[in-house]
Amino acid sequence: MEASSRPYERSRTDSTADGAPSNRKALTIGAVAKILGREFEDISISKIRYLEDQKLLSPRRTPGGYRLYSQADVERLRTILRMQRDEFLPLRVIRQELAAGAREERGGTASLRRATSVDAAKGSRLTIEELVDQTGVGGELIKDLEDWRLIQPENVDGTKLYDDTDREIIKASSELARFGVGGRNLKVLRTAADREAQLLEAVVGASLRSSNHTRRREAIENLESLAAACNNLTHMLLVRDLRKLTGEE
């Protein structure tokens, strides 16, 4: 049971340069929920814990295991909640934005949101030279990803053009390649994505094909929410299986 009877504790690590304690205080999870509840009606202790489980927050722990949140933690949580409420961003995009420090560089976040959006109406079109320059990935890996249908460039007047999503897939695949995971190994992920897309198409496909603009717009929004929910579920199932693999369950 998370302790929340005391509104705060003085942080042992918060001190001035001469070693004297500072006035900054570490808040318990209950105090954080109370503070943010003034702005976010749906905030709760369980939601804060869930965001921590999703690696979006990393409060320090006391020797007894209690969470203690710094003022920086509270501001980070406030940013996450605003991004969810005001920008309707799924957790995977929020995680990427925070990791990249993209809140101060809106051009970067706009590009990332295009890459993860299911609405393909907007976005960049990159040549192979531009793609190599932006990702730092060689042409051999890009060809492998094309062969295994992980990226799907558009052919325009004999020139292959890649979009924002292709670029982000290439970046992620390059990171996996560092561990020896190549295009052939990634085919299983391509197959899983195909099956998930088929599932979601069965749920909202009729609305997506509607001639009514409002209905189609709502279907796209629902599709993004469904995709985020599937992503979260897939992540948690993977976590469970990895715990079994490491003998921690």
Side-chain angles (χ1 to χ4, degrees):
M1 186 75 178
E2 193 76 48
S4 58
S5 58
R6 288 175 293 175
Y8 58 79
E9 291 185 12
R10 189 179 300 280
S11 171
R12 295 179 182 176
T13 59
D14 288 346
S15 59
T16 59
D18 61 3
S22 74
N23 291 325
R24 290 183 294 174
K25 298 177 176 64
L27 302 169
T28 64
I29 193 170
V32 172
K34 184 175 181 180
I35 291 170
L36 294 180
R38 301 164 190 165
E39 182 178 354
F40 306 97
E41 295 181 356
D42 63 340
I43 191 64
S44 65
I45 288 176
S46 61
K47 182 169 184 177
I48 296 174
R49 286 174 178 157
Y50 174 73
L51 293 174
E52 182 184 342
D53 289 340
Q54 295 299 306
K55 308 303 181 185
L56 288 164
L57 296 170
S58 299
R60 74 178 184 87
R61 298 267 188 158
T62 68
Y66 297 121
R67 296 170 174 85
L68 289 179
Y69 296 79
S70 67
Q71 293 301 317
D73 290 329
V74 175
E75 288 307 310
R76 181 181 176 91
L77 179 54
R78 180 178 281 112
T79 297
I80 292 168
L81 296 173
R82 285 176 177 170
M83 292 164 78
Q84 282 188 305
R85 182 192 64 191
D86 301 338
E87 301 183 49
F88 307 103
L89 297 181
L91 293 183
R92 68 183 185 282
V93 177
I94 293 174
R95 186 181 299 106
Q96 290 166 338
E97 288 203 14
L98 292 173
R103 297 306 293 174
E104 290 75 31
E105 299 178 11
R106 298 309 301 169
T109 50
S111 177
L112 184 56
R113 279 204 298 275
R114 284 197 301 269
T116 55
S117 173
V118 299
D119 188 352
K122 300 178 181 180
S124 305
R125 288 293 182 269
L126 307 170
T127 64
I128 182 67
E129 293 80 12
E130 292 170 329
L131 194 63
V132 169
D133 182 61
Q134 290 191 19
T135 63
V137 172
E140 184 176 349
L141 176 58
I142 293 175
K143 183 179 184 304
D144 284 344
L145 297 177
E146 285 185 42
D147 291 342
W148 294 105
R149 293 197 315 111
L150 290 163
I151 57 175
Q152 300 174 10
E154 181 181 0
N155 196 311
V156 178
D157 297 328
T159 300
K160 288 182 179 179
L161 295 179
Y162 304 80
D163 62 17
D164 296 312
T165 304
D166 290 325
R167 185 192 62 234
E168 296 305 316
I169 290 173
I170 289 169
K171 288 181 179 179
S173 299
S174 175
E175 181 66 18
L176 289 171
R178 292 177 52 241
F179 295 91
V181 181
R184 183 183 296 274
N185 306 116
L186 295 175
K187 186 179 179 182
V188 64
L189 300 181
R190 170 71 269 177
T191 301
D194 286 342
R195 291 174 177 171
E196 186 173 315
Q198 291 170 5
L199 170 64
L200 299 187
E201 195 277 337
V203 176
V204 297
S207 297
L208 286 172
R209 292 186 291 270
S210 174
S211 58
N212 183 293
H213 177 75
T214 300
R215 186 183 180 195
R216 186 175 185 278
R217 184 71 255 170
E218 290 176 351
I220 290 176
E221 292 174 358
N222 290 337
L223 186 59
E224 290 188 331
S225 296
L226 284 166
C230 286
N231 181 72
N232 288 338
L233 175 58
T234 301
H235 173 74
M236 295 314 300
L237 291 173
L238 178 60
V239 167
R240 184 188 64 186
D241 288 344
L242 292 180
R243 284 175 178 168
K244 292 179 179 178
L245 182 65
T246 59
E248 295 184 5
E249 187 177 80

